Amino acid sequence: MTDLILFAVFPYVAVALAIAVGIYRYTIDRYSWSSQSSQFLESRALFWGSVPWHYAILLILLAHLLAFLFPSGWGVLVGKPLRLYFLEITGMALGLATVIAIALLIVRRAANDRVATVTSVVDWFLLAALLLQVATGVWIAFTLRWGSVWYLHTATPWLWSLVKLDPQVQYLAVLPMVVKVHAVNAFFLVALFPFSRLVHVVSVPLTYLARPYQVVVWYRKRVRD
């Protein structure tokens, strides 16, 4: 029953919540769709946490997405030992980078009084959930080897069963607890998405591309002698 709730019900609740609250927030308070950057308060620690975090997490998410969208092609990619070793080592390195980066971002917010002041309760929940996600991901990478392969036979068919509205929880039910936590926490992040500053990810300024050119005229009032 627990597996049914976590792997068949909760994912739909999380996605529905993300869409509904996201639309409501965009409609009612559009200007809150911002990352609410605190760079002007303290940028050095932000650089060493934010830059590695963004690059590493994007590559990790891209690998997960490609394995989900193109399982056959991914299977061919990891079919050769050399390529599999390269992906596994690269994934471990990127995972460690994300853990260090998110830890730096958390320490920065906790240690800097000015940054802590503008950090909401939701921000702390978000940071904790992100830390849990990358930490469990690294734990999986180091203790349950060859995830690039078994992901294709567990998480991928489970995710596709959700897309087809026919949840097959048996794919996740047999996996170790750390994998279950990793999967559930991923959808928890989806549910938390519309309440947090993460909504800026989908704020793509497409209208900026079509706007007319701006003419800037410098005007300086001449001072009489």
PDB file of all heavy atoms in Angstrom, residues 132-168:
ATOM      1  N   LEU A 132      19.401  16.604  -0.124  1.00  0.00           N
ATOM      2  CA  LEU A 132      19.020  15.195   0.000  1.00  0.00           C
ATOM      3  C   LEU A 132      19.046  14.509  -1.352  1.00  0.00           C
ATOM      4  O   LEU A 132      19.509  13.359  -1.479  1.00  0.00           O
ATOM      5  CB  LEU A 132      17.629  15.089   0.625  1.00  0.00           C
ATOM      6  CG  LEU A 132      17.044  13.672   0.730  1.00  0.00           C
ATOM      7  CD1 LEU A 132      17.904  12.793   1.632  1.00  0.00           C
ATOM      8  CD2 LEU A 132      15.603  13.713   1.249  1.00  0.00           C
ATOM      9  N   GLN A 133      18.584  15.194  -2.384  1.00  0.00           N
ATOM     10  CA  GLN A 133      18.516  14.591  -3.709  1.00  0.00           C
ATOM     11  C   GLN A 133      19.897  14.271  -4.257  1.00  0.00           C
ATOM     12  O   GLN A 133      20.151  13.170  -4.756  1.00  0.00           O
ATOM     13  CB  GLN A 133      17.767  15.525  -4.669  1.00  0.00           C
ATOM     14  CG  GLN A 133      17.394  14.897  -5.995  1.00  0.00           C
ATOM     15  CD  GLN A 133      16.376  13.786  -5.844  1.00  0.00           C
ATOM     16  OE1 GLN A 133      15.777  13.611  -4.783  1.00  0.00           O
ATOM     17  NE2 GLN A 133      16.160  13.031  -6.900  1.00  0.00           N
ATOM     18  N   VAL A 134      20.804  15.239  -4.190  1.00  0.00           N
ATOM     19  CA  VAL A 134      22.136  14.990  -4.749  1.00  0.00           C
ATOM     20  C   VAL A 134      22.940  14.042  -3.863  1.00  0.00           C
ATOM     21  O   VAL A 134      23.751  13.250  -4.369  1.00  0.00           O
ATOM     22  CB  VAL A 134      22.893  16.319  -4.962  1.00  0.00           C
ATOM     23  CG1 VAL A 134      22.203  17.158  -6.027  1.00  0.00           C
ATOM     24  CG2 VAL A 134      23.046  17.110  -3.675  1.00  0.00           C
ATOM     25  N   ALA A 135      22.715  14.089  -2.538  1.00  0.00           N
ATOM     26  CA  ALA A 135      23.439  13.186  -1.634  1.00  0.00           C
ATOM     27  C   ALA A 135      23.023  11.739  -1.861  1.00  0.00           C
ATOM     28  O   ALA A 135      23.873  10.843  -1.919  1.00  0.00           O
ATOM     29  CB  ALA A 135      23.198  13.595  -0.180  1.00  0.00           C
ATOM     30  N   THR A 136      21.718  11.511  -1.997  1.00  0.00           N
ATOM     31  CA  THR A 136      21.266  10.138  -2.282  1.00  0.00           C
ATOM     32  C   THR A 136      21.713   9.695  -3.668  1.00  0.00           C
ATOM     33  O   THR A 136      22.017   8.517  -3.880  1.00  0.00           O
ATOM     34  CB  THR A 136      19.734  10.038  -2.175  1.00  0.00           C
ATOM     35  OG1 THR A 136      19.116  11.052  -3.002  1.00  0.00           O
ATOM     36  CG2 THR A 136      19.269  10.211  -0.744  1.00  0.00           C
ATOM     37  N   GLY A 137      21.765  10.637  -4.614  1.00  0.00           N
ATOM     38  CA  GLY A 137      22.253  10.292  -5.945  1.00  0.00           C
ATOM     39  C   GLY A 137      23.704   9.843  -5.921  1.00  0.00           C
ATOM     40  O   GLY A 137      24.073   8.854  -6.572  1.00  0.00           O
ATOM     41  N   VAL A 138      24.537  10.550  -5.152  1.00  0.00           N
ATOM     42  CA  VAL A 138      25.946  10.170  -5.028  1.00  0.00           C
ATOM     43  C   VAL A 138      26.077   8.835  -4.295  1.00  0.00           C
ATOM     44  O   VAL A 138      26.892   7.983  -4.673  1.00  0.00           O
ATOM     45  CB  VAL A 138      26.736  11.272  -4.286  1.00  0.00           C
ATOM     46  CG1 VAL A 138      28.131  10.794  -3.918  1.00  0.00           C
ATOM     47  CG2 VAL A 138      26.821  12.530  -5.148  1.00  0.00           C
ATOM     48  N   TRP A 139      25.259   8.656  -3.262  1.00  0.00           N
ATOM     49  CA  TRP A 139      25.283   7.387  -2.522  1.00  0.00           C
ATOM     50  C   TRP A 139      24.930   6.218  -3.444  1.00  0.00           C
ATOM     51  O   TRP A 139      25.572   5.160  -3.388  1.00  0.00           O
ATOM     52  CB  TRP A 139      24.309   7.462  -1.354  1.00  0.00           C
ATOM     53  CG  TRP A 139      24.323   6.236  -0.468  1.00  0.00           C
ATOM     54  CD1 TRP A 139      23.537   5.121  -0.594  1.00  0.00           C
ATOM     55  CD2 TRP A 139      25.173   6.003   0.654  1.00  0.00           C
ATOM     56  NE1 TRP A 139      23.837   4.211   0.386  1.00  0.00           N
ATOM     57  CE2 TRP A 139      24.853   4.732   1.170  1.00  0.00           C
ATOM     58  CE3 TRP A 139      26.172   6.759   1.283  1.00  0.00           C
ATOM     59  CZ2 TRP A 139      25.482   4.202   2.267  1.00  0.00           C
ATOM     60  CZ3 TRP A 139      26.807   6.218   2.389  1.00  0.00           C
ATOM     61  CH2 TRP A 139      26.456   4.943   2.863  1.00  0.00           C
ATOM     62  N   ILE A 140      23.941   6.422  -4.275  1.00  0.00           N
ATOM     63  CA  ILE A 140      23.552   5.387  -5.236  1.00  0.00           C
ATOM     64  C   ILE A 140      24.686   5.112  -6.216  1.00  0.00           C
ATOM     65  O   ILE A 140      24.992   3.958  -6.541  1.00  0.00           O
ATOM     66  CB  ILE A 140      22.277   5.812  -6.000  1.00  0.00           C
ATOM     67  CG1 ILE A 140      21.079   5.823  -5.049  1.00  0.00           C
ATOM     68  CG2 ILE A 140      22.004   4.887  -7.184  1.00  0.00           C
ATOM     69  CD1 ILE A 140      19.842   6.466  -5.639  1.00  0.00           C
ATOM     70  N   ALA A 141      25.323   6.185  -6.710  1.00  0.00           N
ATOM     71  CA  ALA A 141      26.391   6.033  -7.702  1.00  0.00           C
ATOM     72  C   ALA A 141      27.571   5.241  -7.152  1.00  0.00           C
ATOM     73  O   ALA A 141      28.193   4.454  -7.876  1.00  0.00           O
ATOM     74  CB  ALA A 141      26.857   7.413  -8.173  1.00  0.00           C
ATOM     75  N   PHE A 142      27.892   5.437  -5.873  1.00  0.00           N
ATOM     76  CA  PHE A 142      29.060   4.784  -5.296  1.00  0.00           C
ATOM     77  C   PHE A 142      28.766   3.399  -4.727  1.00  0.00           C
ATOM     78  O   PHE A 142      29.677   2.566  -4.630  1.00  0.00           O
ATOM     79  CB  PHE A 142      29.661   5.668  -4.194  1.00  0.00           C
ATOM     80  CG  PHE A 142      30.563   6.743  -4.719  1.00  0.00           C
ATOM     81  CD1 PHE A 142      30.051   7.982  -5.055  1.00  0.00           C
ATOM     82  CD2 PHE A 142      31.918   6.515  -4.896  1.00  0.00           C
ATOM     83  CE1 PHE A 142      30.874   8.985  -5.541  1.00  0.00           C
ATOM     84  CE2 PHE A 142      32.751   7.513  -5.387  1.00  0.00           C
ATOM     85  CZ  PHE A 142      32.225   8.759  -5.719  1.00  0.00           C
ATOM     86  N   THR A 143      27.517   3.160  -4.317  1.00  0.00           N
ATOM     87  CA  THR A 143      27.208   1.879  -3.676  1.00  0.00           C
ATOM     88  C   THR A 143      26.431   0.918  -4.571  1.00  0.00           C
ATOM     89  O   THR A 143      26.504  -0.300  -4.382  1.00  0.00           O
ATOM     90  CB  THR A 143      26.400   2.108  -2.381  1.00  0.00           C
ATOM     91  OG1 THR A 143      25.168   2.772  -2.693  1.00  0.00           O
ATOM     92  CG2 THR A 143      27.196   2.946  -1.400  1.00  0.00           C
ATOM     93  N   LEU A 144      25.689   1.449  -5.504  1.00  0.00           N
ATOM     94  CA  LEU A 144      24.921   0.609  -6.430  1.00  0.00           C
ATOM     95  C   LEU A 144      25.431   0.870  -7.846  1.00  0.00           C
ATOM     96  O   LEU A 144      24.845   1.637  -8.606  1.00  0.00           O
ATOM     97  CB  LEU A 144      23.421   0.927  -6.337  1.00  0.00           C
ATOM     98  CG  LEU A 144      22.800   0.771  -4.949  1.00  0.00           C
ATOM     99  CD1 LEU A 144      21.359   1.272  -4.964  1.00  0.00           C
ATOM    100  CD2 LEU A 144      22.847  -0.677  -4.489  1.00  0.00           C
ATOM    101  N   ARG A 145      26.529   0.253  -8.156  1.00  0.00           N
ATOM    102  CA  ARG A 145      27.237   0.553  -9.396  1.00  0.00           C
ATOM    103  C   ARG A 145      26.403   0.250 -10.633  1.00  0.00           C
ATOM    104  O   ARG A 145      25.436  -0.481 -10.598  1.00  0.00           O
ATOM    105  CB  ARG A 145      28.541  -0.263  -9.455  1.00  0.00           C
ATOM    106  CG  ARG A 145      29.509   0.043  -8.325  1.00  0.00           C
ATOM    107  CD  ARG A 145      30.053   1.459  -8.419  1.00  0.00           C
ATOM    108  NE  ARG A 145      30.971   1.767  -7.342  1.00  0.00           N
ATOM    109  CZ  ARG A 145      32.270   1.479  -7.347  1.00  0.00           C
ATOM    110  NH1 ARG A 145      32.779   0.835  -8.363  1.00  0.00           N
ATOM    111  NH2 ARG A 145      33.027   1.818  -6.330  1.00  0.00           N
ATOM    112  N   TRP A 146      26.862   0.838 -11.736  1.00  0.00           N
ATOM    113  CA  TRP A 146      26.293   0.644 -13.070  1.00  0.00           C
ATOM    114  C   TRP A 146      24.840   1.121 -13.152  1.00  0.00           C
ATOM    115  O   TRP A 146      24.001   0.520 -13.778  1.00  0.00           O
ATOM    116  CB  TRP A 146      26.395  -0.814 -13.515  1.00  0.00           C
ATOM    117  CG  TRP A 146      27.671  -1.476 -13.094  1.00  0.00           C
ATOM    118  CD1 TRP A 146      27.806  -2.617 -12.373  1.00  0.00           C
ATOM    119  CD2 TRP A 146      29.011  -1.016 -13.355  1.00  0.00           C
ATOM    120  NE1 TRP A 146      29.126  -2.907 -12.146  1.00  0.00           N
ATOM    121  CE2 TRP A 146      29.908  -1.937 -12.747  1.00  0.00           C
ATOM    122  CE3 TRP A 146      29.565   0.077 -14.026  1.00  0.00           C
ATOM    123  CZ2 TRP A 146      31.282  -1.802 -12.799  1.00  0.00           C
ATOM    124  CZ3 TRP A 146      30.939   0.222 -14.075  1.00  0.00           C
ATOM    125  CH2 TRP A 146      31.777  -0.716 -13.471  1.00  0.00           C
ATOM    126  N   GLY A 147      24.589   2.240 -12.473  1.00  0.00           N
ATOM    127  CA  GLY A 147      23.254   2.821 -12.537  1.00  0.00           C
ATOM    128  C   GLY A 147      22.846   3.237 -13.929  1.00  0.00           C
ATOM    129  O   GLY A 147      21.656   3.272 -14.253  1.00  0.00           O
ATOM    130  N   SER A 148      23.841   3.553 -14.786  1.00  0.00           N
ATOM    131  CA  SER A 148      23.543   3.909 -16.167  1.00  0.00           C
ATOM    132  C   SER A 148      22.836   2.781 -16.900  1.00  0.00           C
ATOM    133  O   SER A 148      22.116   3.015 -17.871  1.00  0.00           O
ATOM    134  CB  SER A 148      24.842   4.270 -16.908  1.00  0.00           C
ATOM    135  OG  SER A 148      25.522   5.332 -16.270  1.00  0.00           O
ATOM    136  N   VAL A 149      23.037   1.555 -16.408  1.00  0.00           N
ATOM    137  CA  VAL A 149      22.419   0.391 -17.047  1.00  0.00           C
ATOM    138  C   VAL A 149      21.101   0.028 -16.374  1.00  0.00           C
ATOM    139  O   VAL A 149      20.061  -0.081 -17.033  1.00  0.00           O
ATOM    140  CB  VAL A 149      23.378  -0.823 -17.011  1.00  0.00           C
ATOM    141  CG1 VAL A 149      22.690  -2.057 -17.586  1.00  0.00           C
ATOM    142  CG2 VAL A 149      24.646  -0.509 -17.795  1.00  0.00           C
ATOM    143  N   TRP A 150      21.137  -0.178 -15.041  1.00  0.00           N
ATOM    144  CA  TRP A 150      19.907  -0.651 -14.392  1.00  0.00           C
ATOM    145  C   TRP A 150      18.827   0.420 -14.332  1.00  0.00           C
ATOM    146  O   TRP A 150      17.649   0.107 -14.140  1.00  0.00           O
ATOM    147  CB  TRP A 150      20.176  -1.250 -13.022  1.00  0.00           C
ATOM    148  CG  TRP A 150      20.845  -0.395 -11.988  1.00  0.00           C
ATOM    149  CD1 TRP A 150      22.147  -0.470 -11.605  1.00  0.00           C
ATOM    150  CD2 TRP A 150      20.250   0.623 -11.172  1.00  0.00           C
ATOM    151  NE1 TRP A 150      22.413   0.450 -10.603  1.00  0.00           N
ATOM    152  CE2 TRP A 150      21.259   1.125 -10.318  1.00  0.00           C
ATOM    153  CE3 TRP A 150      18.975   1.148 -11.066  1.00  0.00           C
ATOM    154  CZ2 TRP A 150      21.037   2.139  -9.393  1.00  0.00           C
ATOM    155  CZ3 TRP A 150      18.735   2.159 -10.142  1.00  0.00           C
ATOM    156  CH2 TRP A 150      19.749   2.638  -9.326  1.00  0.00           C
ATOM    157  N   TYR A 151      19.200   1.698 -14.511  1.00  0.00           N
ATOM    158  CA  TYR A 151      18.203   2.764 -14.614  1.00  0.00           C
ATOM    159  C   TYR A 151      17.244   2.489 -15.769  1.00  0.00           C
ATOM    160  O   TYR A 151      16.034   2.772 -15.679  1.00  0.00           O
ATOM    161  CB  TYR A 151      18.933   4.094 -14.821  1.00  0.00           C
ATOM    162  CG  TYR A 151      18.036   5.298 -14.997  1.00  0.00           C
ATOM    163  CD1 TYR A 151      17.647   6.061 -13.903  1.00  0.00           C
ATOM    164  CD2 TYR A 151      17.591   5.686 -16.258  1.00  0.00           C
ATOM    165  CE1 TYR A 151      16.831   7.183 -14.052  1.00  0.00           C
ATOM    166  CE2 TYR A 151      16.785   6.801 -16.431  1.00  0.00           C
ATOM    167  CZ  TYR A 151      16.406   7.535 -15.327  1.00  0.00           C
ATOM    168  OH  TYR A 151      15.600   8.642 -15.473  1.00  0.00           O
ATOM    169  N   LEU A 152      17.780   1.907 -16.861  1.00  0.00           N
ATOM    170  CA  LEU A 152      16.964   1.629 -18.040  1.00  0.00           C
ATOM    171  C   LEU A 152      15.892   0.571 -17.772  1.00  0.00           C
ATOM    172  O   LEU A 152      14.857   0.547 -18.451  1.00  0.00           O
ATOM    173  CB  LEU A 152      17.855   1.152 -19.190  1.00  0.00           C
ATOM    174  CG  LEU A 152      18.839   2.177 -19.767  1.00  0.00           C
ATOM    175  CD1 LEU A 152      19.748   1.507 -20.782  1.00  0.00           C
ATOM    176  CD2 LEU A 152      18.068   3.324 -20.408  1.00  0.00           C
ATOM    177  N   HIS A 153      16.140  -0.291 -16.809  1.00  0.00           N
ATOM    178  CA  HIS A 153      15.227  -1.406 -16.556  1.00  0.00           C
ATOM    179  C   HIS A 153      14.382  -1.210 -15.300  1.00  0.00           C
ATOM    180  O   HIS A 153      13.606  -2.100 -14.943  1.00  0.00           O
ATOM    181  CB  HIS A 153      16.033  -2.707 -16.434  1.00  0.00           C
ATOM    182  CG  HIS A 153      16.930  -2.957 -17.606  1.00  0.00           C
ATOM    183  ND1 HIS A 153      16.454  -3.334 -18.837  1.00  0.00           N
ATOM    184  CD2 HIS A 153      18.284  -2.834 -17.738  1.00  0.00           C
ATOM    185  CE1 HIS A 153      17.464  -3.464 -19.679  1.00  0.00           C
ATOM    186  NE2 HIS A 153      18.582  -3.170 -19.039  1.00  0.00           N
ATOM    187  N   THR A 154      14.542  -0.066 -14.641  1.00  0.00           N
ATOM    188  CA  THR A 154      13.765   0.202 -13.427  1.00  0.00           C
ATOM    189  C   THR A 154      13.058   1.553 -13.505  1.00  0.00           C
ATOM    190  O   THR A 154      11.849   1.622 -13.675  1.00  0.00           O
ATOM    191  CB  THR A 154      14.692   0.156 -12.189  1.00  0.00           C
ATOM    192  OG1 THR A 154      15.807   1.043 -12.402  1.00  0.00           O
ATOM    193  CG2 THR A 154      15.205  -1.241 -11.944  1.00  0.00           C
ATOM    194  N   ALA A 155      13.836   2.619 -13.402  1.00  0.00           N
ATOM    195  CA  ALA A 155      13.243   3.962 -13.374  1.00  0.00           C
ATOM    196  C   ALA A 155      12.583   4.338 -14.695  1.00  0.00           C
ATOM    197  O   ALA A 155      11.500   4.931 -14.708  1.00  0.00           O
ATOM    198  CB  ALA A 155      14.307   4.996 -13.009  1.00  0.00           C
ATOM    199  N   THR A 156      13.244   4.000 -15.801  1.00  0.00           N
ATOM    200  CA  THR A 156      12.686   4.378 -17.108  1.00  0.00           C
ATOM    201  C   THR A 156      11.312   3.759 -17.361  1.00  0.00           C
ATOM    202  O   THR A 156      10.361   4.477 -17.701  1.00  0.00           O
ATOM    203  CB  THR A 156      13.665   4.018 -18.239  1.00  0.00           C
ATOM    204  OG1 THR A 156      14.847   4.831 -18.108  1.00  0.00           O
ATOM    205  CG2 THR A 156      13.047   4.267 -19.602  1.00  0.00           C
ATOM    206  N   PRO A 157      11.143   2.437 -17.235  1.00  0.00           N
ATOM    207  CA  PRO A 157       9.793   1.884 -17.439  1.00  0.00           C
ATOM    208  C   PRO A 157       8.776   2.375 -16.420  1.00  0.00           C
ATOM    209  O   PRO A 157       7.593   2.521 -16.738  1.00  0.00           O
ATOM    210  CB  PRO A 157      10.008   0.367 -17.331  1.00  0.00           C
ATOM    211  CG  PRO A 157      11.302   0.192 -16.631  1.00  0.00           C
ATOM    212  CD  PRO A 157      12.133   1.370 -17.013  1.00  0.00           C
ATOM    213  N   TRP A 158       9.222   2.656 -15.183  1.00  0.00           N
ATOM    214  CA  TRP A 158       8.298   3.212 -14.182  1.00  0.00           C
ATOM    215  C   TRP A 158       7.825   4.594 -14.593  1.00  0.00           C
ATOM    216  O   TRP A 158       6.625   4.896 -14.541  1.00  0.00           O
ATOM    217  CB  TRP A 158       8.991   3.275 -12.825  1.00  0.00           C
ATOM    218  CG  TRP A 158       8.218   4.052 -11.800  1.00  0.00           C
ATOM    219  CD1 TRP A 158       6.968   3.771 -11.322  1.00  0.00           C
ATOM    220  CD2 TRP A 158       8.645   5.253 -11.143  1.00  0.00           C
ATOM    221  NE1 TRP A 158       6.586   4.727 -10.392  1.00  0.00           N
ATOM    222  CE2 TRP A 158       7.596   5.635 -10.263  1.00  0.00           C
ATOM    223  CE3 TRP A 158       9.791   6.014 -11.193  1.00  0.00           C
ATOM    224  CZ2 TRP A 158       7.687   6.776  -9.461  1.00  0.00           C
ATOM    225  CZ3 TRP A 158       9.889   7.137 -10.380  1.00  0.00           C
ATOM    226  CH2 TRP A 158       8.834   7.508  -9.537  1.00  0.00           C
ATOM    227  N   LEU A 159       8.737   5.448 -15.032  1.00  0.00           N
ATOM    228  CA  LEU A 159       8.366   6.796 -15.455  1.00  0.00           C
ATOM    229  C   LEU A 159       7.452   6.762 -16.676  1.00  0.00           C
ATOM    230  O   LEU A 159       6.483   7.521 -16.770  1.00  0.00           O
ATOM    231  CB  LEU A 159       9.622   7.617 -15.746  1.00  0.00           C
ATOM    232  CG  LEU A 159      10.467   7.993 -14.527  1.00  0.00           C
ATOM    233  CD1 LEU A 159      11.789   8.612 -14.962  1.00  0.00           C
ATOM    234  CD2 LEU A 159       9.689   8.941 -13.615  1.00  0.00           C
ATOM    235  N   TRP A 160       7.746   5.882 -17.611  1.00  0.00           N
ATOM    236  CA  TRP A 160       6.887   5.774 -18.793  1.00  0.00           C
ATOM    237  C   TRP A 160       5.510   5.240 -18.436  1.00  0.00           C
ATOM    238  O   TRP A 160       4.506   5.603 -19.051  1.00  0.00           O
ATOM    239  CB  TRP A 160       7.541   4.890 -19.858  1.00  0.00           C
ATOM    240  CG  TRP A 160       8.481   5.637 -20.743  1.00  0.00           C
ATOM    241  CD1 TRP A 160       9.841   5.490 -20.827  1.00  0.00           C
ATOM    242  CD2 TRP A 160       8.144   6.674 -21.657  1.00  0.00           C
ATOM    243  NE1 TRP A 160      10.363   6.361 -21.732  1.00  0.00           N
ATOM    244  CE2 TRP A 160       9.346   7.106 -22.267  1.00  0.00           C
ATOM    245  CE3 TRP A 160       6.950   7.274 -22.032  1.00  0.00           C
ATOM    246  CZ2 TRP A 160       9.370   8.113 -23.235  1.00  0.00           C
ATOM    247  CZ3 TRP A 160       6.974   8.281 -22.999  1.00  0.00           C
ATOM    248  CH2 TRP A 160       8.165   8.689 -23.587  1.00  0.00           C
ATOM    249  N   SER A 161       5.436   4.384 -17.423  1.00  0.00           N
ATOM    250  CA  SER A 161       4.123   3.893 -16.995  1.00  0.00           C
ATOM    251  C   SER A 161       3.299   5.022 -16.384  1.00  0.00           C
ATOM    252  O   SER A 161       2.068   5.044 -16.524  1.00  0.00           O
ATOM    253  CB  SER A 161       4.293   2.751 -15.986  1.00  0.00           C
ATOM    254  OG  SER A 161       4.734   3.211 -14.715  1.00  0.00           O
ATOM    255  N   LEU A 162       3.982   5.975 -15.728  1.00  0.00           N
ATOM    256  CA  LEU A 162       3.272   7.143 -15.211  1.00  0.00           C
ATOM    257  C   LEU A 162       2.753   8.003 -16.354  1.00  0.00           C
ATOM    258  O   LEU A 162       1.630   8.522 -16.299  1.00  0.00           O
ATOM    259  CB  LEU A 162       4.201   7.971 -14.314  1.00  0.00           C
ATOM    260  CG  LEU A 162       4.677   7.324 -13.014  1.00  0.00           C
ATOM    261  CD1 LEU A 162       5.655   8.239 -12.292  1.00  0.00           C
ATOM    262  CD2 LEU A 162       3.488   7.000 -12.105  1.00  0.00           C
ATOM    263  N   VAL A 163       3.563   8.173 -17.372  1.00  0.00           N
ATOM    264  CA  VAL A 163       3.143   8.963 -18.538  1.00  0.00           C
ATOM    265  C   VAL A 163       1.931   8.332 -19.211  1.00  0.00           C
ATOM    266  O   VAL A 163       1.009   9.032 -19.662  1.00  0.00           O
ATOM    267  CB  VAL A 163       4.307   9.089 -19.544  1.00  0.00           C
ATOM    268  CG1 VAL A 163       3.833   9.774 -20.832  1.00  0.00           C
ATOM    269  CG2 VAL A 163       5.467   9.859 -18.921  1.00  0.00           C
ATOM    270  N   LYS A 164       1.895   7.020 -19.250  1.00  0.00           N
ATOM    271  CA  LYS A 164       0.791   6.294 -19.886  1.00  0.00           C
ATOM    272  C   LYS A 164      -0.412   6.129 -18.973  1.00  0.00           C
ATOM    273  O   LYS A 164      -1.388   5.465 -19.341  1.00  0.00           O
ATOM    274  CB  LYS A 164       1.282   4.912 -20.330  1.00  0.00           C
ATOM    275  CG  LYS A 164       2.372   4.962 -21.383  1.00  0.00           C
ATOM    276  CD  LYS A 164       2.905   3.573 -21.689  1.00  0.00           C
ATOM    277  CE  LYS A 164       4.038   3.626 -22.705  1.00  0.00           C
ATOM    278  NZ  LYS A 164       4.606   2.269 -22.963  1.00  0.00           N
ATOM    279  N   LEU A 165      -0.347   6.746 -17.783  1.00  0.00           N
ATOM    280  CA  LEU A 165      -1.430   6.673 -16.787  1.00  0.00           C
ATOM    281  C   LEU A 165      -1.723   5.233 -16.368  1.00  0.00           C
ATOM    282  O   LEU A 165      -2.862   4.861 -16.084  1.00  0.00           O
ATOM    283  CB  LEU A 165      -2.710   7.333 -17.340  1.00  0.00           C
ATOM    284  CG  LEU A 165      -2.565   8.794 -17.786  1.00  0.00           C
ATOM    285  CD1 LEU A 165      -3.911   9.325 -18.286  1.00  0.00           C
ATOM    286  CD2 LEU A 165      -2.022   9.661 -16.667  1.00  0.00           C
ATOM    287  N   ASP A 166      -0.684   4.426 -16.341  1.00  0.00           N
ATOM    288  CA  ASP A 166      -0.801   3.036 -15.906  1.00  0.00           C
ATOM    289  C   ASP A 166       0.387   2.706 -15.006  1.00  0.00           C
ATOM    290  O   ASP A 166       1.305   1.978 -15.399  1.00  0.00           O
ATOM    291  CB  ASP A 166      -0.820   2.099 -17.125  1.00  0.00           C
ATOM    292  CG  ASP A 166      -0.994   0.642 -16.728  1.00  0.00           C
ATOM    293  OD1 ASP A 166      -1.568   0.383 -15.645  1.00  0.00           O
ATOM    294  OD2 ASP A 166      -0.545  -0.239 -17.497  1.00  0.00           O
ATOM    295  N   PRO A 167       0.418   3.269 -13.787  1.00  0.00           N
ATOM    296  CA  PRO A 167       1.584   3.132 -12.908  1.00  0.00           C
ATOM    297  C   PRO A 167       1.944   1.680 -12.610  1.00  0.00           C
ATOM    298  O   PRO A 167       1.089   0.890 -12.205  1.00  0.00           O
ATOM    299  CB  PRO A 167       1.139   3.854 -11.625  1.00  0.00           C
ATOM    300  CG  PRO A 167       0.027   4.744 -12.045  1.00  0.00           C
ATOM    301  CD  PRO A 167      -0.675   4.037 -13.160  1.00  0.00           C
ATOM    302  N   GLN A 168       3.208   1.370 -12.836  1.00  0.00           N
ATOM    303  CA  GLN A 168       3.728   0.036 -12.549  1.00  0.00           C
ATOM    304  C   GLN A 168       4.743   0.157 -11.404  1.00  0.00           C
ATOM    305  O   GLN A 168       5.934   0.333 -11.615  1.00  0.00           O
ATOM    306  CB  GLN A 168       4.386  -0.547 -13.804  1.00  0.00           C
ATOM    307  CG  GLN A 168       3.476  -0.641 -15.009  1.00  0.00           C
ATOM    308  CD  GLN A 168       2.352  -1.639 -14.799  1.00  0.00           C
ATOM    309  OE1 GLN A 168       2.560  -2.715 -14.209  1.00  0.00           O
ATOM    310  NE2 GLN A 168       1.160  -1.309 -15.283  1.00  0.00           N
TER     311      GLN A 168
END
